[in-house]
Amino acid sequence: MNRALGVFATIALLALGACSPMQSAFHPSGEEAERVATLFWIMTAGGTVIFIMVLIATGLAIFGGKVRNTLSSERFVTIMGLVFPIVVLTALLIYGFALMRVGERPAEQHDGLRVEIAGELWWWRVTYFTEDGRVITSANELHVPVGEPVEIALTSTNVIHSFWAPQLAGKLDMIPGRTNTLTVTATKEGISRGQCAEYCGGAHALMAFHVVAHSPEEFRSWLDAEAAPAIAPTGQAAERGAAVFDAAGCGACHAVRGTDARGVIGPDLTHVGSRYSLAAATLPNTAKAFARWIADNQHVKPENKMPSYDILTADQVGDLAIYLEGLE
Ligand code: CUA
């Protein structure tokens, strides 16, 4: 009974998991992901047809009477056992290469937007290099303009991670000492989710991110806002929070551009309040979640590199959370 329940729960979970289009290769919103999905459906349909043919042949071999003689003839074995797989697999290989554009060299001079994403333990350092020479540091979110190819340089300075935004493109490893380049073109506006797809230790399962695809105009204004220094705290709680941030030494690891906080160990927090999530898509972006993260992050995301600040009083944590949430 328990086993039946377990099987049912597993099937229900898988089915429900497939319902959410937030992180699904079946809901492509990028040119590369569309090609991956097309190839998947062709392979699945072709595989199903061949599987049914094999089942029929097996049935005939067992119960087929005189037809069995045909099945065991040398001619049938040569055609279906040799010619058929060679023709089908060769055609599929050529089609797959053409569809996935294997061997196609990306344009030597890419003068559009370039993004560098570095895999950290366990979050994403995202740096934008714009056409006009600006370098903008952010974290845990990738923003792209719809319809424009974006070159993403994937790196790591620690262990191997894998960048996977299933709605945008296939996955690509981030390997220390090497730069892998992925060129993506978003086709639809909207938010989707990505995940580190290579086990990288402790908090690997909680190393996720959001992809935000904007219209080109919206993207430029987002980029301008992201490039600007942090806004000054508004309200007494936020001002007290900024003082706590300074006094507790948060700036040793985190940068808030426009203030004395210039740390580069942890994520840049200049506009952390405008992101969709906290701690690499682990928590929602609310003052309550900030407070929980600061005071008790080792329970929220075990082994992450930030210590839990349980030395701060509840009031201090509350002020700090309001300050950080206001950094839009
Ligand atoms: Cu990074 Cu798994």
Side-chain angles (χ1 to χ4, degrees):
M1 190 58 204
N2 267 344
R3 180 178 287 183
L5 210 65
V7 170
F8 175 75
T10 309
I11 293 171
L13 261 180
L14 286 173
L16 286 173
C19 287
S20 165
M22 191 67 174
Q23 185 179 311
S24 165
F26 294 124
H27 297 83
S29 56
E31 280 179 15
E32 295 71 19
E34 279 162 16
R35 294 204 292 267
V36 172
T38 305
L39 193 60
F40 170 82
W41 285 116
I42 286 172
M43 299 280 283
T44 306
T48 307
V49 169
I50 291 170
F51 180 63
I52 291 169
M53 281 164 61
V54 169
L55 283 186
I56 292 172
T58 310
L60 288 175
I62 299 171
F63 308 109
K66 280 188 184 160
V67 191
R68 298 165 72 181
N69 293 336
T70 318
L71 284 185
S72 61
S73 72
E74 196 166 310
R75 189 149 166 245
F76 186 84
V77 172
T78 311
I79 292 175
M80 293 313 283
L82 207 63
V83 178
F84 179 76
I86 289 175
V87 170
V88 169
L89 291 177
T90 308
L92 199 59
L93 185 71
I94 294 169
Y95 174 72
F97 279 171
L99 182 73
M100 301 313 289
R101 315 209 173 145
V102 171
E104 192 177 282
R105 297 243 113 230
E108 283 291 311
Q109 283 293 319
H110 185 92
D111 46 9
L113 176 75
R114 256 192 70 240
V115 185
E116 188 181 296
I117 303 182
E120 300 287 343
L121 296 169
W122 286 271
W123 57 282
W124 313 83
R125 188 186 298 275
V126 185
T127 314
Y128 298 83
F129 298 86
T130 66
E131 297 97 320
D132 51 12
R134 288 181 297 172
V135 178
I136 303 156
T137 310
S138 184
N140 296 333
E141 231 166 58
L142 170 64
H143 290 249
V144 290
V146 166
E148 295 177 18
V150 177
E151 194 182 278
I152 306 176
L154 301 169
T155 63
S156 169
T157 53
N158 39 80
V159 297
I160 300 176
H161 302 271
S162 181
F163 179 85
W164 190 37
Q167 266 154 271
L168 211 55
K171 61 180 82 156
L172 192 58
D173 279 356
M174 311 169 101
I175 300 167
R178 217 198 119 101
T179 301
N180 280 340
T181 307
L182 186 68
T183 305
V184 300
T185 311
T187 51
K188 279 183 215 140
E189 287 176 39
I191 302 167
S192 65
R193 194 175 181 280
Q195 164 76 42
C196 178
E198 177 74 40
Y199 180 68
C200 52
H204 154 76
L206 294 174
M207 183 171 173
F209 58 97
H210 284 102
V211 177
V212 188
H214 306 267
S215 68
E217 306 74 52
E218 232 182 68
F219 175 76
R220 308 280 169 234
S221 42
W222 174 83
L223 205 58
D224 289 341
E226 195 68 14
I231 53 169
T234 49
Q236 288 185 351
E239 280 170 17
R240 286 196 303 269
V244 175
F245 189 90
D246 203 29
C250 304
C253 290
H254 296 283
V256 178
R257 279 176 274 127
T259 73
D260 291 336
R262 294 196 181 91
V264 291
I265 296 169
D268 184 296
L269 300 179
T270 309
H271 299 291
V272 69
S274 65
R275 288 183 203 146
Y276 286 86
S277 70
L278 302 184
T282 304
L283 291 175
N285 192 342
T286 60
K288 209 176 149 194
F290 266 114
R292 190 172 160 218
W293 176 257
I294 295 160
D296 196 28
N297 64 66
Q298 287 300 325
H299 278 110
V300 176
K301 185 167 175 171
E303 290 190 44
N304 91 81
K305 300 292 184 190
M306 176 165 154
S308 290
Y309 276 79
D310 43 12
I311 44 162
L312 300 174
T313 66
D315 284 347
Q316 285 175 317
V317 171
D319 291 342
L320 198 46
I322 288 168
Y323 166 59
L324 291 169
E325 197 206 11
L327 288 177
E328 289 192 350

